[in-house]
Amino acid sequence: MNLTESDLAEIDAARGQSATTRRATVPALEAMLFTPVPVLDHGFVRVIDYMGDDAAVVQAARVSYGRGTRKVSEDEGLIRYLMRHRHSTPFEMCEIKFHVKLPIFVARQWIRHRTANVNEYSGRYSVMDREFYIPAPEHLAAQSASNRQGRGEVLEGAEAESVLALLREDAERNYAHYEAMLNEGGADPDRRGLARELARMNLTLNAYTQWYWKTDLHNLFNFMSLRGDAHAQYEIRVYADAMLAMTRAWVPASCRAFEDYRLGAAQFSATMLAVLRRMLGGEVVEQAASGLSKREWSEMMAMLE
Amino acid sequence: MNLTESDLAEIDAARGQSATTRRATVPALEAMLFTPVPVLDHGFVRVIDYMGDDAAVVQAARVSYGRGTRKVSEDEGLIRYLMRHRHSTPFEMCEIKFHVKLPIFVARQWIRHRTANVNEYSGRYSVMDREFYIPAPEHLAAQSASNRQGRGEVLEGAEAESVLALLREDAERNYAHYEAMLNEGGADPDRRGLARELARMNLTLNAYTQWYWKTDLHNLFNFMSLRGDAHAQYEIRVYADAMLAMTRAWVPASCRAFEDYRLGAAQFSATMLAVLRRMLGGEVVEQAASGLSKREWSEMMAMLE
Amino acid sequence: MNLTESDLAEIDAARGQSATTRRATVPALEAMLFTPVPVLDHGFVRVIDYMGDDAAVVQAARVSYGRGTRKVSEDEGLIRYLMRHRHSTPFEMCEIKFHVKLPIFVARQWIRHRTANVNEYSGRYSVMDREFYIPAPEHLAAQSASNRQGRGEVLEGAEAESVLALLREDAERNYAHYEAMLNEGGADPDRRGLARELARMNLTLNAYTQWYWKTDLHNLFNFMSLRGDAHAQYEIRVYADAMLAMTRAWVPASCRAFEDYRLGAAQFSATMLAVLRRMLGGEVVEQAASGLSKREWSEMMAMLE
Amino acid sequence: MNLTESDLAEIDAARGQSATTRRATVPALEAMLFTPVPVLDHGFVRVIDYMGDDAAVVQAARVSYGRGTRKVSEDEGLIRYLMRHRHSTPFEMCEIKFHVKLPIFVARQWIRHRTANVNEYSGRYSVMDREFYIPAPEHLAAQSASNRQGRGEVLEGAEAESVLALLREDAERNYAHYEAMLNEGGADPDRRGLARELARMNLTLNAYTQWYWKTDLHNLFNFMSLRGDAHAQYEIRVYADAMLAMTRAWVPASCRAFEDYRLGAAQFSATMLAVLRRMLGGEVVEQAASGLSKREWSEMMAMLE
């Protein structure tokens, strides 16, 4: 994470500002506000703004002045109930805005979450940064033999060295050519400079971009559930993990309910439930007689371990 | 607008709270926070929470740390440029949450705006309020003769009296029957009480409901543009107007751009533009030779008046 | 379901039309096309149009010309895999359009599904039908004593009779007053007629409306999962059930996967999984020592029955 | 556009299939179905499926069986009315599905249109194609001097040659290294092969990807309006143009209304309207006394030329 002096000064200035508000305020998140948390080699996530807290979820679920709505339970009980029964709209009443620096190939996965607001740094308008993601040696994984979209063991020795060298050299060479084609400031008086919107196509997919990304708590949970999952690519999972830590500070009760009922939960199909009932009845069930495919069987066994 | 003592006490308590925050804060909107603004006979709108300000629009458009992005213009100039060129994503970076009390037939139009978050008071779970919208005499309009979905002149005399009496009596009788069917608290020991989710079907469409409604600034502008339009039904337009006043306090520069480029703007079709060019060239153009239908012609003339 | 002669003639005409197409076509759904299936006392659902079939899900998941994508499994296996692992985008590649007649209070729940396209019959522009939902005696349920938003036993005797009479009389009276206020065709020469957009507010929430509703298969599954659930109100559940039968005809393999992995499935929280593992290990677990609340415990036991 | 023998055979097979349907069918679009239309050097667009036609827009706007809705005008008149008055929901009732091959930097702009369904070829799962976009000499533009996100004149001579050589060499070298890192099929027995999801980051942003993209007619119009605009980047505009030709074949009346009221239309702000009125009144208005900025003034003059 390479921030310039002026970037750091801007962050300090933002952190130094202070105002009085009647709005719901969360001191634990205020403490984190604006500070970038490093992710990968040059990326980061930082919270820029937020709206609401755990109480806002409860307040929206009840709607104020509601005659007939007595406080049947503690707030956390209501939050857990809402999460368990998929009443998602109260969680939509909280909103958060992040500033994220991330490799382009990660951005391409991330943007698939459509219920969010995004402003990305524009390579048509501005010059892209000279920063690329190069995996740490321990994340330089071989193709998985069993899972077409997964990773196997870590590459080692000469192959690892050669891969890292190729990634680094290609990214740097392509960036140098990008700069040459741009000819910003007329460095080479014999060139007119290629349009930025064209030159950027020479960059590699591990080049870093950045954006403002804003979403509501329900859709943030969806994001963290899908991208924090073991099947997600490591390079996006680390962003989901960093955001989970921030979400815990922001809405602790909602986040506990999310971790219990969704992140740590498991879904059993109708067929799996039938197997489960036989097992709980004391029967020894084998895959062949379970009605499940081998793959489903092993997925079910994994859920029970 | 009939608020109970306990509602008013809750509002006062909310207005009395105060915290320190590093977030963008707008004093003019803070002053309005939580206070209901009356709309129609028993409805209201009040701001519950907000995120961002004019500067947040600018900051998102530029994305921080953007090398190559120099301040080419004042913030307001940039905001006007974004609005004029339909760059809508920076306006999505501001968010606002309202609490609204409104008649059900208005709620049914309002909910068609899909890009928003909503929590409505539940008639399955709670008892609905005994409040109905009865038009003020000056809004009791006859069916328009020329416009199938519009209003004509105001009803007067015996017809007006009879209509108001019917609306009032039917709403009150139906509510009384609703209450009787519910038999809340076992008032009538010989009844078990109809399920709330069924009894509510006896209410009329002018019964009031309420909800929390949260949206981003871009979609709020869309709402105000469509529902604040002269073609919108009066009963929803008054809500749009009340929200426009709040939006002016919140994001004055964005709101000025919206009023200039959208609310007060007019769209000329390709054919209309051709007519306009002929007129500006000094030609006297008649409808028959304009290429426009009579209806389009009169719409164009109205835009130029 | 009261269709006029001209409605029936229009349906017959639509069913009589025939064209040749290169598009994916599903004979079992073609057979149902345009025919209304009765729901509740005056409502219906009918399929108006559709796009895609089970094979379209598979084709989208694979994207054509994809080098490196060999057919590792049967199509149904792939569909089951996609459903199990929440790969929802291939199911979005199928689209279906319904014409639905439904009570307004049901429409108000239905419209909360935002990812859909809707055109509703306009009470501003047209006169509403004289049709109201009156529950069949066996669905006239008392308020549940244990569940604030649920139903208890069926009402009987004098209370049932009185409730049905109230519902019927109020709906009919209010409609008669609606008609009188409209004064369509100048029936009463002394009245000018109230604007349609105002008069409709006198109708009750069990009045029928109708709309065209179009959505993709993924969001249709979401709808059927939430509204076909035992916790959903009976009056919307019957629509979900009718649509499920149509979906089975349309995309049988996708629908089987949906019924196995979602409709008939159950989600166990992290805490419930821990309990399950102890039970499968032969331990006798009691609620008190389970880490689950009483409510969660009974929900878990219900899932295992 | 390089299609393999097997791709072409699959297209021929799809075009050869034929079925009978009761659905709305558009012969002019059927004739185009499945056939790829070349865009850029290796890209294409082809229609895979569609739902509805011009009549479906009309039918949805009217909702069948609507008492009180008489045919006041021809279908095209209604379609024009809907378009002019921003009644967008009837246009949402038509749906179309495309298969598109496009450079990744174009895909990154395209995906910003959120109201669409997308299935993209997966570089985690499959090996990417060896195809890159290299601009034709006449589109190799210099950076615009006046517009930070625009293009200026075409590069010529040595600079053009050098830029084209760099783009070509870098894309090819990076792809060769991608293949080497993958080591598919164990070509090099001393390598294990880097995971596909990692290796792809070495590709350049002009590498081609492909996806299935499905949207409704209203959102297709939005896409074509924004991306077919003169301010859009040339490389995405050519896709919008190709799709416009297909849309004309599909829904000719809706498309005519779109071209008149939106594509060829111009929006005048409140301030511009005031200037227009003065001009039409015979006054000679200068920028300085217009209330418009220089930039707005020149934009207004451009609209009137």
Side-chain angles (χ1 to χ4, degrees):
Chain A
M1 195 177 68
N2 311 320
L3 297 177
T4 65
E5 287 299 313
S6 99
D7 295 343
L8 292 168
E10 278 190 52
I11 293 171
D12 279 350
R15 286 183 58 80
Q17 81 202 4
S18 172
T20 298
T21 187
R22 285 168 160 156
R23 291 172 292 170
T25 302
V26 182
L29 192 62
E30 291 277 340
M32 296 176 177
L33 223 51
F34 308 126
T35 304
V37 171
V39 182
L40 298 179
D41 50 356
H42 301 298
F44 63 74
V45 188
R46 59 190 195 115
V47 179
I48 292 297
D49 208 344
Y50 68 95
M51 172 197 276
D53 56 5
D54 276 328
V57 174
V58 170
Q59 194 181 353
R62 295 206 170 114
V63 185
S64 302
Y65 320 142
R67 204 157 35 98
T69 56
R70 266 146 289 157
K71 219 174 202 171
V72 272
S73 60
E74 298 287 323
D75 280 5
E76 180 146 5
L78 176 54
I79 285 174
R80 291 180 66 83
Y81 174 87
L82 297 170
M83 183 68 73
R84 202 160 71 240
H85 291 275
R86 296 191 288 164
H87 291 303
S88 52
T89 56
F91 297 104
E92 295 177 20
M93 287 289 150
C94 295
E95 191 87 11
I96 193 162
K97 180 161 48 173
F98 296 101
H99 179 191
V100 190
K101 184 157 195 170
L102 72 178
I104 291 175
F105 72 93
V106 173
R108 297 211 330 115
Q109 294 186 332
W110 192 309
I111 199 75
R112 300 304 308 281
H113 294 259
R114 287 163 290 189
T115 311
N117 311 111
V118 190
N119 278 280
E120 186 173 354
Y121 184 89
S122 168
R124 287 186 80 193
Y125 188 83
S126 306
V127 178
M128 301 292 290
D129 285 338
R130 186 202 300 269
E131 286 179 321
F132 330 102
Y133 168 62
I134 306 294
E138 64 270 28
H139 296 122
L140 200 71
Q143 175 64 32
S144 164
S146 60
N147 179 349
R148 278 193 65 82
Q149 60 178 13
R151 296 187 183 185
E153 292 168 32
V154 170
L155 294 188
E156 288 174 347
E159 183 173 10
E161 276 170 42
S162 122
V163 162
L164 289 174
L166 286 174
L167 289 172
R168 196 172 289 118
E169 287 161 21
D170 283 357
E172 285 178 358
R173 181 193 306 104
N174 284 27
Y175 190 89
H177 291 163
Y178 165 70
E179 267 194 320
M181 291 190 279
L182 285 179
N183 195 38
E184 285 283 310
D188 176 346
D190 293 338
R191 282 175 170 267
R192 310 180 59 177
L194 184 63
R196 287 183 202 103
E197 68 179 28
L198 285 172
R200 62 176 166 167
M201 77 170 80
N202 204 57
L203 296 176
T204 45
L205 282 157
N206 57 351
Y208 273 89
T209 183
Q210 47 182 307
W211 61 31
Y212 274 47
W213 191 76
K214 168 174 158 286
T215 197
D216 63 65
L217 181 56
H218 169 62
N219 281 287
L220 178 62
F221 283 148
N222 279 350
F223 179 88
M224 295 191 303
S225 163
L226 280 165
R227 303 306 178 175
D229 187 88
H231 291 89
Q233 181 164 354
Y234 166 78
E235 281 77 16
I236 196 167
R237 211 163 60 223
V238 286
Y239 285 91
D241 290 346
M243 289 153 83
L244 181 58
M246 292 162 178
T247 308
R248 282 191 193 118
W250 176 31
V251 282
S254 300
C255 210
R256 274 192 296 273
F258 166 67
E259 295 187 62
D260 189 15
Y261 291 120
R262 293 193 52 195
L263 256 202
Q267 173 110 338
F268 289 78
S269 70
T271 315
M272 289 176 183
L273 282 173
V275 172
L276 207 51
R277 286 181 200 112
R278 288 163 62 192
M279 286 172 154
L280 288 169
E283 191 179 337
V284 176
V285 187
E286 305 281 333
Q287 181 265 325
S290 68
L292 299 169
S293 70
K294 282 184 185 166
R295 190 157 190 170
E296 287 175 272
W297 178 265
S298 67
E299 286 176 11
M300 178 173 170
M301 292 307 112
M303 279 158 25
L304 291 172
E305 259 160 35
Chain B
M1 193 177 70
N2 312 320
L3 297 177
T4 66
E5 286 299 313
S6 99
D7 295 342
L8 292 168
E10 277 190 55
I11 292 171
D12 279 350
R15 284 184 58 80
Q17 83 202 0
S18 173
T20 297
T21 185
R22 286 170 159 154
R23 292 173 290 169
T25 301
V26 181
L29 192 63
E30 291 276 341
M32 297 178 176
L33 223 51
F34 308 126
T35 303
V37 171
V39 182
L40 299 179
D41 51 353
H42 300 299
F44 63 74
V45 189
R46 59 190 195 115
V47 179
I48 292 298
D49 209 345
Y50 68 94
M51 172 196 277
D53 56 5
D54 276 327
V57 175
V58 169
Q59 193 181 354
R62 294 206 170 112
V63 184
S64 302
Y65 320 143
R67 203 156 36 95
T69 55
R70 266 147 289 154
K71 219 174 202 171
V72 271
S73 61
E74 298 286 320
D75 280 6
E76 180 145 6
L78 176 55
I79 284 174
R80 292 181 65 81
Y81 174 88
L82 296 169
M83 183 68 73
R84 202 159 71 242
H85 290 276
R86 296 192 286 167
H87 291 303
S88 53
T89 55
F91 297 103
E92 296 177 19
M93 285 290 149
C94 294
E95 190 89 10
I96 192 161
K97 180 162 47 174
F98 297 101
H99 178 191
V100 190
K101 184 156 194 171
L102 71 178
I104 291 175
F105 72 94
V106 173
R108 297 213 327 116
Q109 295 186 332
W110 191 310
I111 198 76
R112 302 302 309 280
H113 294 260
R114 286 163 289 189
T115 311
N117 311 109
V118 189
N119 278 280
E120 186 173 354
Y121 184 88
S122 169
R124 290 185 78 191
Y125 188 82
S126 305
V127 178
M128 300 292 289
D129 284 338
R130 186 203 300 269
E131 285 179 322
F132 330 102
Y133 167 61
I134 307 294
E138 65 270 28
H139 295 121
L140 200 69
Q143 175 64 29
S144 164
S146 60
N147 179 348
R148 279 190 67 83
Q149 60 178 15
R151 296 187 183 185
E153 292 167 32
V154 170
L155 295 188
E156 289 174 345
E159 183 172 10
E161 277 171 41
S162 123
V163 162
L164 288 175
L166 286 175
L167 289 173
R168 197 172 289 117
E169 287 161 21
D170 283 358
E172 284 177 0
R173 181 193 305 104
N174 285 26
Y175 189 90
H177 291 164
Y178 164 70
E179 266 193 322
M181 291 190 280
L182 284 179
N183 195 37
E184 284 284 311
D188 176 346
D190 293 338
R191 282 175 169 266
R192 309 180 60 179
L194 183 63
R196 287 184 203 102
E197 68 179 27
L198 286 172
R200 61 174 168 167
M201 77 169 81
N202 203 56
L203 296 176
T204 45
L205 280 157
N206 58 350
Y208 274 89
T209 183
Q210 48 183 306
W211 61 31
Y212 274 46
W213 191 75
K214 169 173 156 287
T215 196
D216 62 66
L217 181 55
H218 170 63
N219 281 287
L220 178 63
F221 283 146
N222 279 349
F223 179 89
M224 296 191 302
S225 164
L226 280 165
R227 303 306 177 176
D229 186 88
H231 292 89
Q233 181 164 354
Y234 166 79
E235 281 77 16
I236 196 166
R237 210 163 60 224
V238 287
Y239 286 91
D241 290 345
M243 289 152 84
L244 180 59
M246 293 162 177
T247 309
R248 282 192 193 115
W250 177 31
V251 282
S254 300
C255 211
R256 273 191 296 273
F258 166 66
E259 295 188 62
D260 190 16
Y261 291 120
R262 294 194 51 195
L263 257 202
Q267 174 112 335
F268 290 77
S269 70
T271 314
M272 289 176 183
L273 282 174
V275 172
L276 207 51
R277 286 183 200 110
R278 288 164 61 192
M279 287 173 155
L280 287 169
E283 193 179 335
V284 176
V285 187
E286 305 282 334
Q287 182 264 322
S290 68
L292 298 170
S293 71
K294 282 183 186 168
R295 189 157 191 170
E296 285 175 274
W297 178 265
S298 68
E299 287 176 12
M300 179 173 168
M301 291 306 111
M303 278 158 27
L304 290 173
E305 263 160 34
Chain C
M1 193 177 69
N2 311 320
L3 298 177
T4 66
E5 286 300 312
S6 100
D7 295 344
L8 292 168
E10 276 190 54
I11 292 171
D12 278 351
R15 286 185 58 79
Q17 83 201 0
S18 172
T20 297
T21 187
R22 284 168 160 154
R23 291 173 292 170
T25 302
V26 181
L29 192 63
E30 291 277 339
M32 296 177 176
L33 224 51
F34 308 126
T35 303
V37 170
V39 183
L40 300 179
D41 51 354
H42 300 299
F44 63 75
V45 189
R46 59 188 195 117
V47 179
I48 293 297
D49 208 344
Y50 68 94
M51 174 196 274
D53 57 5
D54 276 328
V57 175
V58 169
Q59 194 182 352
R62 295 205 170 114
V63 186
S64 304
Y65 320 144
R67 204 156 35 95
T69 55
R70 266 146 289 156
K71 218 175 203 171
V72 272
S73 61
E74 298 287 323
D75 279 6
E76 181 146 3
L78 176 54
I79 285 174
R80 292 179 65 81
Y81 174 87
L82 296 170
M83 182 68 73
R84 202 159 71 240
H85 290 276
R86 296 192 287 166
H87 292 302
S88 52
T89 56
F91 297 104
E92 296 177 19
M93 286 291 149
C94 294
E95 190 88 9
I96 192 161
K97 181 162 46 175
F98 296 101
H99 179 191
V100 190
K101 184 157 195 171
L102 72 178
I104 291 175
F105 73 93
V106 173
R108 296 212 329 116
Q109 294 186 331
W110 192 308
I111 199 75
R112 302 302 310 278
H113 294 260
R114 287 163 289 191
T115 311
N117 311 110
V118 189
N119 279 280
E120 185 171 354
Y121 184 88
S122 168
R124 288 185 78 192
Y125 188 83
S126 306
V127 179
M128 300 293 290
D129 285 337
R130 186 202 300 270
E131 286 179 322
F132 330 102
Y133 168 62
I134 307 294
E138 64 270 28
H139 296 121
L140 200 71
Q143 176 63 32
S144 164
S146 59
N147 179 350
R148 278 191 66 83
Q149 60 178 11
R151 295 186 183 185
E153 291 168 33
V154 170
L155 294 188
E156 288 175 346
E159 182 173 10
E161 277 171 42
S162 123
V163 161
L164 288 174
L166 286 173
L167 289 173
R168 197 172 290 117
E169 287 160 22
D170 283 357
E172 284 178 0
R173 181 193 305 104
N174 285 27
Y175 189 90
H177 291 163
Y178 164 70
E179 265 193 322
M181 292 190 280
L182 284 180
N183 195 37
E184 285 283 310
D188 177 345
D190 293 337
R191 282 175 170 267
R192 309 180 61 177
L194 184 63
R196 288 184 202 102
E197 69 179 27
L198 286 172
R200 62 175 166 165
M201 78 171 79
N202 204 56
L203 296 176
T204 45
L205 281 156
N206 57 350
Y208 274 89
T209 184
Q210 47 183 306
W211 61 32
Y212 274 47
W213 191 74
K214 169 173 157 286
T215 197
D216 63 65
L217 182 55
H218 170 63
N219 282 287
L220 178 63
F221 283 146
N222 279 350
F223 179 89
M224 296 191 302
S225 164
L226 279 165
R227 303 307 176 174
D229 187 88
H231 291 90
Q233 182 164 354
Y234 166 79
E235 282 77 17
I236 196 167
R237 210 164 61 225
V238 286
Y239 286 90
D241 290 347
M243 289 153 85
L244 180 59
M246 293 162 178
T247 309
R248 282 191 193 117
W250 176 30
V251 282
S254 300
C255 210
R256 274 192 295 273
F258 166 67
E259 296 187 61
D260 189 15
Y261 291 120
R262 294 194 51 195
L263 257 201
Q267 173 112 338
F268 290 77
S269 70
T271 315
M272 288 176 183
L273 282 174
V275 171
L276 207 51
R277 287 183 199 111
R278 287 162 63 190
M279 285 173 155
L280 287 169
E283 191 180 337
V284 176
V285 186
E286 304 282 334
Q287 182 266 323
S290 68
L292 299 169
S293 70
K294 281 183 186 166
R295 189 156 191 170
E296 286 175 271
W297 178 265
S298 67
E299 286 176 11
M300 179 175 170
M301 292 306 113
M303 277 155 31
L304 290 173
E305 261 160 32
Chain D
M1 193 177 70
N2 312 320
L3 298 177
T4 66
E5 286 299 311
S6 100
D7 295 342
L8 292 168
E10 276 190 55
I11 292 171
D12 279 351
R15 284 183 60 79
Q17 83 202 1
S18 172
T20 297
T21 186
R22 286 168 159 155
R23 291 173 291 170
T25 302
V26 182
L29 193 62
E30 291 276 340
M32 296 176 176
L33 224 51
F34 307 127
T35 303
V37 170
V39 183
L40 298 179
D41 51 354
H42 300 299
F44 63 76
V45 189
R46 59 190 196 116
V47 179
I48 292 298
D49 209 344
Y50 69 95
M51 173 196 276
D53 55 7
D54 276 328
V57 175
V58 170
Q59 194 181 353
R62 295 207 170 112
V63 184
S64 302
Y65 318 144
R67 205 158 31 99
T69 56
R70 266 145 288 155
K71 217 176 203 172
V72 272
S73 61
E74 298 287 321
D75 281 6
E76 180 146 4
L78 176 55
I79 285 174
R80 291 180 66 81
Y81 175 87
L82 297 169
M83 183 68 73
R84 201 159 72 241
H85 291 275
R86 294 192 288 166
H87 292 303
S88 53
T89 55
F91 298 104
E92 296 177 18
M93 285 290 149
C94 293
E95 189 88 9
I96 193 161
K97 180 162 47 174
F98 296 101
H99 178 191
V100 190
K101 184 157 194 170
L102 71 178
I104 290 174
F105 72 94
V106 173
R108 299 216 322 121
Q109 294 186 332
W110 192 310
I111 199 75
R112 300 303 309 279
H113 294 260
R114 286 162 291 189
T115 311
N117 311 111
V118 189
N119 278 279
E120 185 172 355
Y121 184 88
S122 168
R124 289 186 78 192
Y125 188 82
S126 305
V127 178
M128 300 293 288
D129 284 338
R130 187 203 301 269
E131 285 178 323
F132 331 101
Y133 168 62
I134 305 295
E138 65 270 28
H139 296 121
L140 199 70
Q143 175 64 31
S144 164
S146 60
N147 179 348
R148 279 191 66 84
Q149 59 179 12
R151 295 186 184 186
E153 291 169 32
V154 170
L155 295 188
E156 288 174 347
E159 183 173 10
E161 275 171 43
S162 124
V163 162
L164 289 174
L166 286 174
L167 289 173
R168 196 172 288 118
E169 286 162 21
D170 283 358
E172 284 178 0
R173 180 192 307 103
N174 284 27
Y175 190 90
H177 291 163
Y178 165 70
E179 266 194 321
M181 291 189 280
L182 284 179
N183 195 38
E184 285 285 309
D188 176 346
D190 292 338
R191 282 175 169 268
R192 309 179 59 176
L194 183 63
R196 287 183 203 103
E197 67 180 27
L198 286 172
R200 60 176 168 166
M201 77 169 80
N202 204 56
L203 295 176
T204 46
L205 281 157
N206 58 349
Y208 274 90
T209 183
Q210 47 183 306
W211 61 32
Y212 274 46
W213 191 75
K214 169 173 157 286
T215 196
D216 63 66
L217 182 55
H218 169 63
N219 281 287
L220 179 61
F221 283 147
N222 279 349
F223 180 89
M224 295 192 303
S225 163
L226 279 166
R227 304 306 177 175
D229 186 88
H231 292 89
Q233 181 164 354
Y234 166 78
E235 281 77 16
I236 196 166
R237 211 162 61 224
V238 286
Y239 285 90
D241 290 346
M243 290 153 83
L244 180 58
M246 293 162 177
T247 309
R248 283 191 193 117
W250 177 30
V251 283
S254 300
C255 210
R256 273 192 295 274
F258 166 67
E259 295 187 63
D260 190 15
Y261 291 120
R262 293 193 52 195
L263 256 201
Q267 174 111 335
F268 289 77
S269 70
T271 314
M272 288 177 183
L273 282 173
V275 172
L276 208 50
R277 286 182 201 111
R278 287 163 63 192
M279 285 173 154
L280 287 169
E283 191 180 337
V284 176
V285 186
E286 305 281 334
Q287 182 264 323
S290 68
L292 298 169
S293 71
K294 282 185 186 167
R295 189 157 191 170
E296 286 175 272
W297 178 265
S298 67
E299 286 176 11
M300 179 174 169
M301 292 306 112
M303 278 157 27
L304 290 173
E305 262 160 33

